[in-house]
Amino acid sequence: MADHSISEHSKSLPLKLYFGVWATLLILTYVTYRVAYVELGPFNSVVALVIAAIKATLVALFFMHVWRAGEKFIKAVVLASLFFLLLLLGLTMADYMTRPWS
Amino acid sequence: MSMPNVVPQQRFERENYLNQEYGIWSWLLTTDHKRIALLYLVSITFFFFIGGFFALLIRLELLTPAGDLVQADTYNKLFTMHGMVMIFFFLIPSIPAVLGNFLVPMMIGAKDLAFPRINLLSWYLYIIGGTIMLHCMMTGGVDTGWTFYVPFSSNYTNTKFVEAGIAIFIAGFSSILTGLNFVVTIHRMRAPGMTWSRLPLFIWAHYATSIIQLLGTPVIAITIVLVACERALHLGIFDPRLGGDPLLFQHLFWFYSHPAVYIMILPSMGVVTEIIPCFSRKRIFGYSFVALSSIAIAVFGFLVWAHHMFVAGMSVYAGLVFSFLSYAVAVPSAIKVFNWTATLYKGSIRYDAPMLYAFGFLGLFTIGGLTGLFLAALGINVHVTDTYFVVAHFHYIMVGGAVMGYLGGIHFWWPKISGKLYPEGWARLAALIVFLGFNLTFFPQFILGYMGMPRRYWDYSHMPEFQVLNVLSTAGATILGVGYLLPMVYLLWSMRYGKPASDNPWNAAGLEWKTASPPPTLNFEEQPVVTWEAYNYAELDAPPRMQEVPVG
Amino acid sequence: MLNNFPLWPEQASTMAHRVDALYIFLLIVAGLMALLVCTLIIYFAARYRRRPGIRAEQIEGSNALEITWSVIPFLVFMVIFAWGAVVYFKERTPPADATEVYVVAKQWMWKVEHAEGQREINELHVPVGRDVKLIMTSQDVIHSFFIPAFRIKQDVLPGRYTVEWFHATKPGTYHLFCAEYCGTQHSGMVGSIVVLEPAQYEAWINGGPNGPLSATGEKIFAELGCSTCHRSDVQGRGPNLEGVFGKPVQLEDGRTVTADENYLRECILDPGSKRVKGFQPIMPTFQGLVNEEQVNALVAYIKSISTLKSAPSSRTTARAASASDANEQAATHTNRSQVQQ
Amino acid sequence: MAETVMGLHQEELQHPELLHHFAEPEQQRNAASLGMWVFLGTEIMFFGGMFCAYLLYRHWYFGDFGAASNSIDATLGAVNTAVLICSSLTVVLAVWSAQTARRALLLAMLSATMLFGLAFLGIKGYEYYQKFEEHHVPGPSFSFENVRIPRHPGEYANPRHAQIYFSLYFLMTGIHALHMVVGLGIFSWLLLMAWKGRFTPTYHTPVEIGGLYWHFVDIIWIFLFPLLYLIDRHP
Ligand code: HEA
Ligand code: HEA
Ligand code: CUA
Ligand SMILES: [Cu+2]
């Protein structure tokens, strides 16, 4: 790979990595699709969500270059929005889980 | 694209952002943050008077117990549109979009916001939203209350909820873009030497506000989409007939709308934090506590939303959690109040109009905030929720607090914005009238509320004992209306006849005062480099300096 | 003591005193704080007004002060919080043996059904000195049942029951308000609470034409064929309903829930969502077949066979709850959207 | 005064990428990507509202949601996921080509991304069509009678609860699809700019920013797929 023309501030990663991530994502998609048909009880949801989270992290880290982002603030933005999303989900569900009749 | 340049009559004037270009397109297509701020100023004032007009009609109707001035439906539309206009089209954009837009880049020594075109776009979105809202109001209006609870708004009302929803959605987008612009600008565009600990607290307040705008507004946007789809497309999300839960709507709504109250108050706190040091010639007491309390309010503000739902049928335990957290968020507000007060100590205090507004803010915000503590107390909330006690609480904070701060800010920076001095005597008079009128309007409502008068009542002929207090309130509103008209008149007057202002008429700290009044298009003749702390009034006052001679 | 004070709402329930006590405490605390802040501001403003030749004294700030004025308010807040929470728990926990009254809200009226069978509209007669529990639901939008003199309020939701209770302490007539905005005549959705002396109340409650609510329920229970599956003599296709109310129920999915009013309601309208362990899912849904009053009657009936050993003898005067009230017809409001089932 | 404006324009002509209020290109680039990231943060909250509703009802009505979820074609969903993942790959390749000044490859990759995007929307449209035929679109003609709940063969799903599922399904996928359409718009513009040769190794921020947006939309789908299609699949 002739990378000599990449300018200094370029944040691209090696092409091999991109293809690797791509392949992993496809494999994970296949896995999650097949696993859904296997009886795992409550763990079906867990597995599905864990795989989705892994895939999302891969995309964010490598395709969106969070991995290499020099910018700490970008990571902070991502984490902050996830944190506030969890607040929304968590505190709302806190109401529903503690209602006497449900 | 711009009109052919007319030769300016006032040739002798320094070139500034106002006289740089003339013609309507030079305004409508401007990307200058200062001009956009003025566009906002005009449009927001317009909506304020629309909202105020509705308020006067509300108060007139409540003068007598019977519903005799307007129909029940009309009354419901009046308070709905009063609330929607005041909140979404006046107070939320007010300080950020006018003073923030004007000042954020100048205070940090930047030439403009990071995304000037997005800034203009956000004004256009606001205008589009506002136009839709106006159209909605003129062709029937909405009667859901500004909180548009389901299933009333989704399945029962036959007014134009979807249209109002679209209007708010678009205005919300505008608010998001403003916040986004601020965050990026504050992170990326600070002048050399302008470190985080040297930022004016106005900037910290706007930073905190932007966090809320960015993380909260999208939730109300999607909530509106859900309700509108439920109404227009018969999708069922909250519909109890399908097994949906109307309380889920309330959770989503308040997840935005509680933090939104801090969108309204934080910028105003920022303004006051600029005014108080300047007119007491002191550095702010406890800089870092004031700065961090803004951030704390923004973050904790997201944790308390369900204190609006204590009697809504929520779980008792959730009620406990949210009550507790509401008190947690009150602590940073307390810190602010005490720091402002402490700043006055051993100061050298002048009573110019901005300072009078700031005093008004302090007193009224404190009363409003303290009554928030009543509301957050579970046992009391059950009795006073959905009564006039709540109405009084939030008007104390939003009108007595936020609007006072806004007016104070407008006066404080008016010389910078317009290049003219406003008439001081009139301004002090107006501040006094607003203060008195305000208290007369809203103090009786606390009593009404505890006596049990429910809010959103068009007719109270079953309880004529409430009339006396309502009459007082209406009388106050009339005075208040006059108080608001006054600044409108003399500020406009001063634009033409006012005395020209010097660059720094208050001898204030802050970069915005280090450039011309009005500032040139790119704000500074040359890139400022900051070597001093914020609020360095000691240095400013050290050599008894002469007032600069006004230009012209 | 506060009863004669013109700007103070009447105190007519046990809750009123509790709420007022906390309110007065808060008035004092907040009053002192407001006074403190305002006095300081005014004092500083006057004392340190600008005078020629005197410059402001620069003060950095003080961590000790900052901590003081964060911690002390926080402690005060915690007192308020705890006190408020205690009052709230009282407000939210109805005593076990309270007299039960069913309330159905609709745009824009309150329909009340007493267990004894009396019905009223926009009025509620209750005895003085007894715990009364309101079991409330709405036919359309959200309303809120507010009695200022009792200091209680609770939203009334469509699709489920909410509950509030009080213990009236003083005979008289008090305001009843709808406190949640519910449309055009929200402010017209008002009525009165009539608190009667026990003897008067007995006379009133037994004077009406209707049989007890549970008897109405029993009749509906038979009419709808519930009894074909739920039989008390033998274990039928469905569980025996005698004694279910208030007991824990084992569900098919392993959970255990307490059979309260909302549970019974859900069993009737939505049998699929909470299935009793050991039974086939054959119970049909009665959603759309019964109206709110009928559900209330059924619930009252099932409760009655749970608390008493034998169901109360059904008085033959019982009138089916579906029979429409003339009053109600007059005020019936056609909704824009129809129920979809 | 006019000179200043003209001056500005001239400056802009010399460095078309550098706007007047930025000190240097690096600052501008940074600001732009920061802006996009902050915007994506707001998008998380935007979808968050729907996820909140989804979470609640799935918790309450798990069986009915399972039954309703099984009525949509998981294979199509999986294929669509793969399509989007491929489009994400072409996006990074596009950014890479812009950085390495490979104009032809850039054009190809941008077009490939759009083709994948269109394919996704096509498949999605077909799914909607199926739902329409089956009367699974919420509203007056909705029907979901006699559908058994997975793992509980004796039980039928409650059509009303299934309707909530489908409401959420259409909303979430619909709003996601709307984002795809916006993405296609952005990419058409990028394609046009690339075709005009605007992007250079030193200036290609728009490609990066557009890419960020596209990846984000992909991530949303990565969650929607298991949440909507794979709730309770086993027989
Ligand atoms: C700018 C707007 C704004 C602000 C800043 C606040 C601030 C607060 N609000 Fe308010 N509120 C509204 C606007 C606002 N509110 C609106 C619009 C509604 C009604 C919406 C509707 O239903 O239409 C509402 C309703 C509302 C409710 C729900 C009422 C109901 O409908 O049942 C509650 C309940 O907890 C509440 C609480 C609080 C609290 C605890 C604060 C705190 O943040 C206040 C903190 C400040 C102080 C406490 C004062 C300063 C402190 C001191 C001087 C310290 C010393 C004090 C002691 C030691 C005691 N508010
Ligand atoms: C920023 C927000 C804001 C502001 C500034 C105000 C300002 C005022 N508001 Fe209110 N208000 C709300 C936000 C606000 N309000 C909200 C959110 C609600 C709840 C809505 C709901 O329940 O859904 C509410 C509800 C509300 C009610 C309760 C209605 C009810 O529950 O039935 C009342 C009643 O007195 C009231 C009064 C007033 C008054 C007298 C003013 C005054 O301060 C206004 C003073 C201004 C003027 C008087 C304008 C002066 C102009 C003229 C004199 C010119 C005349 C006009 C023309 C020629 C066009 N408001
Ligand atoms: Cu019923 Cu308001
Ligand atoms: Cu709040």
Side-chain angles (χ1 to χ4, degrees):
Chain A
M1 243 170 293
D3 276 1
H4 47 82
S5 57
I6 295 183
S7 71
E8 274 176 74
H9 67 257
S10 144
K11 283 204 181 119
S12 266
L13 300 163
L15 279 188
K16 243 190 240 154
L17 187 67
Y18 290 147
F19 282 103
V21 170
W22 172 69
T24 318
L25 289 172
L26 286 182
I27 292 167
L28 284 176
T29 305
Y30 185 71
V31 170
T32 191
Y33 171 62
R34 293 316 294 264
V35 156
Y37 290 88
V38 181
E39 170 71 65
L40 296 176
F43 288 100
N44 275 99
S45 311
V46 177
V47 171
L49 278 177
V50 167
I51 295 185
I54 296 177
K55 284 161 73 182
T57 317
L58 285 177
V59 173
L61 283 185
F62 300 110
F63 284 180
M64 300 169 89
H65 299 127
V66 171
W67 185 252
R68 275 262 210 101
E71 199 59 68
K72 270 201 226 86
F73 184 64
I74 286 181
K75 288 175 190 152
V77 169
V78 177
L79 292 180
S81 1
L82 290 178
F83 173 72
F84 281 94
L85 177 64
L86 284 184
L87 279 184
L88 169 63
L89 302 181
L91 280 175
T92 306
M93 288 316 280
D95 167 19
Y96 290 102
M97 308 300 272
T98 54
R99 285 195 195 166
W101 48 277
S102 54
Chain B
M1 152 198 332
S2 54
M3 299 293 277
N5 261 323
V6 187
V7 180
Q9 304 100 339
Q10 308 106 311
R11 233 174 229 294
F12 46 88
E13 256 187 39
R14 258 192 301 198
E15 180 176 289
N16 62 45
Y17 81 105
L18 290 171
N19 63 15
Q20 161 112 51
E21 271 183 285
Y22 290 89
I24 180 90
W25 292 114
S26 77
W27 283 90
L28 291 184
L29 295 176
T30 180
T31 54
D32 181 352
H33 65 104
K34 297 180 289 303
R35 287 194 165 206
I36 296 173
L38 287 192
L39 292 177
Y40 265 117
L41 177 62
V42 172
S43 24
I44 277 162
T45 310
F46 173 74
F47 278 105
F48 174 71
F49 280 96
I50 302 240
F53 177 66
F54 291 145
L56 285 183
L57 289 179
I58 291 176
R59 285 307 336 156
L60 276 179
E61 168 62 60
L62 295 177
L63 199 54
T64 57
D68 37 18
L69 178 69
V70 296
Q71 300 285 303
D73 272 327
T74 316
Y75 181 83
N76 296 343
K77 289 175 185 169
L78 282 178
F79 69 70
T80 301
M81 294 177 315
H82 167 69
M84 286 184 174
V85 165
M86 282 298 198
I87 291 211
F88 296 111
F89 294 94
F90 168 65
L91 199 51
I92 285 184
S94 64
I95 299 186
V98 178
L99 295 174
N101 234 333
F102 195 93
L103 294 166
V104 166
M106 287 215 274
M107 283 186 166
I108 65 174
K111 294 187 186 127
D112 204 327
L113 286 172
F115 309 115
R117 276 176 295 191
I118 288 184
N119 195 17
L120 182 65
L121 173 67
S122 100
W123 180 72
Y124 273 103
L125 287 174
Y126 171 84
I127 289 298
I128 293 169
T131 312
I132 296 176
M133 193 75 213
L134 281 179
H135 177 261
C136 170
M137 294 186 311
M138 287 185 308
T139 56
V142 271
D143 72 344
T144 57
W146 83 279
T147 49
F148 54 94
Y149 276 13
V150 295
F152 182 70
S153 61
S154 59
N155 289 317
Y156 288 88
T157 177
N158 42 28
T159 53
K160 303 189 138 192
F161 171 70
V162 174
E163 197 177 332
I166 293 172
I168 296 172
F169 184 95
I170 297 176
F173 214 108
S174 153
S175 171
I176 290 180
L177 292 182
T178 307
L180 189 145
N181 231 332
F182 285 172
V183 165
V184 176
T185 307
I186 295 172
H187 266 277
R188 284 277 152 274
M189 314 282 289
R190 277 170 290 134
M194 184 54 96
T195 58
W196 285 92
S197 58
R198 283 177 182 164
L199 284 177
L201 291 162
F202 183 86
I203 301 288
W204 277 97
H206 274 75
Y207 189 77
T209 311
S210 307
I211 295 179
I212 308 175
Q213 285 176 308
L214 288 169
L215 294 170
T217 319
V219 178
I220 187 105
I222 190 66
T223 312
I224 292 173
V225 171
L226 294 180
V227 179
C229 285
E230 182 146 354
R231 188 174 167 78
L233 308 175
H234 304 289
L235 297 184
I237 308 282
F238 307 117
D239 190 347
R241 288 172 308 205
L242 300 181
D245 184 17
L247 282 193
L248 177 65
F249 166 85
Q250 297 178 21
H251 276 298
L252 293 177
F253 178 84
W254 290 114
F255 181 84
Y256 165 75
S257 294
H258 179 79
V261 307
Y262 297 116
I263 300 183
M264 307 177 218
I265 201 69
L266 276 169
S268 201
M269 292 171 157
V271 168
V272 169
T273 320
E274 297 298 310
I275 293 178
I276 290 180
C278 174
F279 291 94
S280 39
R281 313 307 303 165
K282 275 189 63 187
R283 65 181 314 132
I284 187 88
F285 192 90
Y287 175 93
S288 49
F289 286 90
V290 180
L292 291 180
S293 62
S294 289
I295 307 292
I297 289 177
V299 174
F300 288 133
F302 276 100
L303 301 176
V304 308
W305 74 82
H307 66 203
H308 298 267
M309 300 164 59
F310 288 153
V311 301
M314 198 176 51
S315 123
V316 175
Y317 305 98
L320 283 187
V321 173
F322 282 104
S323 168
F324 173 80
L325 292 169
S326 302
Y327 286 108
V329 75
V331 173
S333 300
I335 295 182
K336 277 191 190 301
V337 169
F338 291 127
N339 277 300
W340 291 320
T341 313
T343 304
L344 299 175
Y345 178 65
K346 296 205 169 169
S348 168
I349 298 167
R350 275 177 59 174
Y351 309 137
D352 297 273
M355 191 63 167
L356 293 186
Y357 281 108
F359 282 145
F361 173 97
L362 277 182
L364 300 180
F365 170 77
T366 303
I367 296 178
L370 289 169
T371 53
L373 302 177
F374 288 57
L375 289 167
L378 288 156
I380 292 184
N381 183 281
V382 171
H383 176 56
V384 292
T385 181
D386 275 318
T387 66
Y388 266 83
F389 193 93
V390 178
V391 176
H393 155 69
F394 66 72
H395 282 93
Y396 258 83
I397 296 198
M398 300 201 300
V399 184
V403 177
M404 278 277 195
Y406 172 67
L407 287 176
I410 292 283
H411 284 87
F412 185 51
W413 283 291
W414 188 251
K416 185 58 58 183
I417 295 174
S418 69
K420 297 291 170 63
L421 296 174
Y422 61 82
E424 184 62 39
W426 282 103
R428 291 186 192 182
L429 180 68
L432 196 69
I433 294 180
V434 168
F435 184 83
L436 295 178
F438 173 83
N439 281 299
L440 186 56
T441 313
F442 293 108
F443 196 81
Q445 297 187 355
F446 282 124
I447 304 168
L448 270 178
Y450 199 73
M451 285 172 72
M453 176 159 172
R455 61 192 282 204
R456 296 167 173 175
Y457 262 35
W458 159 66
D459 151 285
Y460 55 102
S461 32
H462 292 259
M463 38 288 186
E465 66 270 27
F466 293 154
Q467 192 179 6
V468 178
L469 291 165
N470 271 300
V471 171
L472 287 181
S473 181
T474 303
T478 321
I479 300 178
L480 187 55
V482 175
Y484 284 139
L485 278 177
L486 271 181
M488 203 29 207
V489 176
Y490 64 72
L491 289 180
L492 277 177
W493 174 89
S494 78
M495 284 194 350
R496 192 156 189 99
Y497 305 104
K499 276 191 244 140
S502 64
D503 288 354
N504 190 355
W506 312 116
N507 193 14
L511 273 180
E512 78 272 26
W513 300 108
K514 300 209 163 23
T515 182
S517 297
T521 297
L522 292 181
N523 294 347
F524 300 97
E525 301 297 344
E526 57 200 62
Q527 174 70 61
V529 177
V530 183
T531 55
W532 58 89
E533 304 300 310
Y535 311 107
N536 54 343
Y537 283 101
E539 291 158 45
L540 278 182
D541 288 348
R545 273 213 293 194
M546 300 296 293
Q547 276 269 320
E548 279 150 83
V549 186
V551 186
Chain C
M1 105 204 114
L2 284 166
N3 273 321
N4 305 317
F5 190 60
L7 295 181
W8 201 270
E10 223 163 334
Q11 296 173 309
S13 77
T14 48
M15 202 53 71
H17 300 277
R18 294 202 185 96
V19 173
D20 284 358
L22 175 55
Y23 185 68
I24 291 170
F25 172 71
L26 264 163
L27 279 180
I28 294 171
V29 173
L32 286 179
M33 278 322 293
L35 202 68
L36 176 75
V37 172
C38 293
T39 320
L40 283 179
I41 293 174
I42 294 173
Y43 173 72
F44 290 160
R47 168 77 182 69
Y48 302 112
R49 69 181 174 280
R50 179 154 313 176
R51 271 175 283 209
I54 301 181
R55 293 234 314 275
E57 197 172 308
Q58 300 300 325
I59 302 165
E60 269 306 311
S62 144
N63 286 350
L65 270 179
E66 301 285 352
I67 290 170
T68 319
W69 62 47
S70 331
V71 171
I72 292 181
F74 184 74
L75 294 178
V76 177
F77 293 167
M78 284 306 98
V79 174
I80 306 173
F81 162 69
W83 189 341
V86 170
V87 177
Y88 186 63
F89 259 102
K90 275 267 179 332
E91 275 162 341
R92 285 283 164 268
T93 350
D97 51 354
T99 311
E100 291 179 353
V101 178
Y102 289 84
V103 175
V104 177
K106 59 174 270 185
Q107 284 172 325
W108 292 278
M109 63 161 75
W110 298 103
K111 294 183 283 183
V112 176
E113 293 176 275
H114 293 263
E116 291 79 358
Q118 281 284 18
R119 295 137 172 271
E120 18 185 359
I121 285 190
N122 290 342
E123 274 203 347
L124 169 62
H125 287 73
V126 289
V128 70
R130 216 187 295 166
D131 297 331
V132 178
K133 172 176 161 190
L134 306 179
I135 301 167
M136 310 182 290
T137 187
S138 160
Q139 250 167 261
D140 36 50
V141 301
I142 303 178
H143 305 270
S144 191
F145 199 92
F146 178 30
I147 312 171
F150 296 173
R151 311 286 189 274
I152 58 164
K153 183 186 291 123
Q154 170 63 52
D155 280 9
V156 180
L157 300 161
R160 62 178 263 214
Y161 288 120
T162 50
V163 169
E164 76 182 329
W165 77 279
F166 56 82
H167 181 111
T169 53
K170 214 173 71 176
T173 304
Y174 307 104
H175 287 307
L176 157 64
F177 295 138
C178 173
E180 184 62 80
Y181 175 67
C182 54
T184 311
Q185 282 301 335
H186 164 60
S187 59
M189 200 164 155
V190 294
S192 21
I193 310 290
V194 185
V195 180
L196 300 171
E197 296 288 1
Q200 284 175 301
Y201 178 74
E202 272 339 299
W204 180 86
I205 197 78
N206 291 318
N210 307 318
L213 188 59
S214 54
T216 317
E218 185 174 11
K219 194 152 171 252
I220 305 171
F221 198 76
E223 275 169 10
L224 290 175
C226 313
S227 39
T228 53
C229 299
H230 298 288
R231 311 164 50 141
S232 52
D233 43 352
V234 290
Q235 188 67 282
R237 287 186 291 169
N240 181 354
L241 297 180
E242 263 176 37
V244 253
F245 181 75
K247 304 278 155 48
V249 183
Q250 278 270 308
L251 295 187
E252 187 67 38
D253 57 12
R255 284 182 297 163
T256 309
V257 296
T258 311
D260 59 3
E261 288 93 355
N262 263 316
Y263 169 78
L264 297 181
R265 181 194 165 86
E266 224 179 323
C267 282
I268 299 167
L269 297 179
D270 191 4
S273 65
K274 299 237 168 55
R275 292 179 325 105
V276 184
K277 197 178 178 81
F279 289 90
Q280 290 302 306
I282 45 170
M283 175 163 166
T285 169
F286 287 85
Q287 171 99 23
L289 299 176
V290 288
N291 64 25
E292 290 297 348
E293 279 99 336
Q294 289 171 313
V295 178
N296 287 346
L298 283 171
V299 170
Y301 168 65
I302 297 171
K303 284 166 71 174
S304 74
I305 57 175
S306 299
T307 39
L308 307 175
K309 264 271 88 55
S310 57
S313 59
S314 46
R315 279 195 258 152
T316 36
T317 48
R319 180 175 61 143
S322 57
S324 46
D325 249 271
N327 284 341
E328 183 193 327
Q329 281 295 316
T332 296
H333 159 84
T334 24
N335 293 323
R336 191 180 63 83
S337 44
Q338 298 295 318
V339 178
Q340 282 177 4
Q341 245 68 44
Chain D
M1 48 182 92
E3 298 85 55
T4 333
V5 181
M6 290 304 290
L8 274 180
H9 284 313
Q10 249 149 39
E11 217 174 88
E12 268 175 47
L13 285 179
Q14 280 152 20
H15 313 275
E17 66 272 21
L18 185 62
L19 294 173
H20 66 88
H21 58 290
F22 287 107
E24 69 216 357
E26 182 65 17
Q27 188 190 28
Q28 178 175 357
R29 212 189 67 86
N30 254 331
S33 76
L34 200 59
M36 184 42 101
W37 274 104
V38 172
F39 178 71
L40 296 182
T42 72
E43 286 274 26
I44 292 183
M45 297 308 288
F46 186 72
F47 280 93
M50 286 183 288
F51 282 120
C52 191
Y54 172 88
L55 183 66
L56 170 64
Y57 293 129
R58 171 169 166 163
H59 170 68
W60 275 2
Y61 307 130
F62 186 80
D64 309 310
F65 266 44
S69 157
N70 284 358
S71 81
I72 48 180
D73 191 336
T75 315
L76 284 184
V79 170
N80 245 352
T81 316
V83 168
L84 271 194
I85 288 176
C86 293
S87 76
S88 262
L89 178 72
T90 53
V91 168
V92 278
L93 293 179
V95 176
W96 182 81
S97 343
Q99 284 170 345
T100 52
R102 291 176 168 84
R103 179 162 166 266
L105 191 60
L106 173 61
L107 289 175
M109 286 302 129
L110 289 175
S111 325
T113 308
M114 292 179 64
L115 285 180
F116 280 126
L118 287 172
F120 176 92
L121 288 178
I123 295 175
K124 195 79 246 157
Y126 176 68
E127 282 180 46
Y128 281 1
Y129 168 74
Q130 277 186 334
K131 292 285 102 184
F132 183 75
E133 293 284 279
E134 292 164 10
H135 292 281
H136 288 171
V137 182
S141 65
F142 180 82
S143 149
F144 199 75
E145 304 302 329
N146 302 327
V147 182
R148 290 176 196 280
I149 289 183
R151 281 193 282 181
H152 296 283
E155 278 178 64
Y156 294 102
N158 182 331
R160 294 176 300 122
H161 302 167
Q163 196 171 341
I164 296 190
Y165 168 84
F166 284 110
S167 298
L168 283 168
Y169 167 82
F170 278 104
L171 264 165
M172 294 171 104
T173 57
I175 290 183
H176 176 265
L178 207 67
H179 278 77
M180 293 290 295
V181 173
V182 172
L184 285 175
I186 296 177
F187 271 68
S188 330
W189 180 76
L190 288 177
L191 192 65
L192 187 72
M193 291 294 126
W195 188 68
K196 286 193 191 160
R198 283 290 176 82
F199 301 128
T200 62
T202 48
Y203 177 71
H204 51 263
T205 320
V207 187
E208 268 175 33
I209 307 286
L212 284 180
Y213 177 84
W214 192 277
H215 292 308
F216 174 81
V217 177
D218 186 9
I219 288 182
I220 293 289
W221 181 261
I222 285 176
F223 281 101
L224 290 185
F225 170 58
L227 288 181
L228 292 174
Y229 290 74
L230 306 177
I231 293 182
D232 206 3
R233 277 285 166 183
H234 19 265

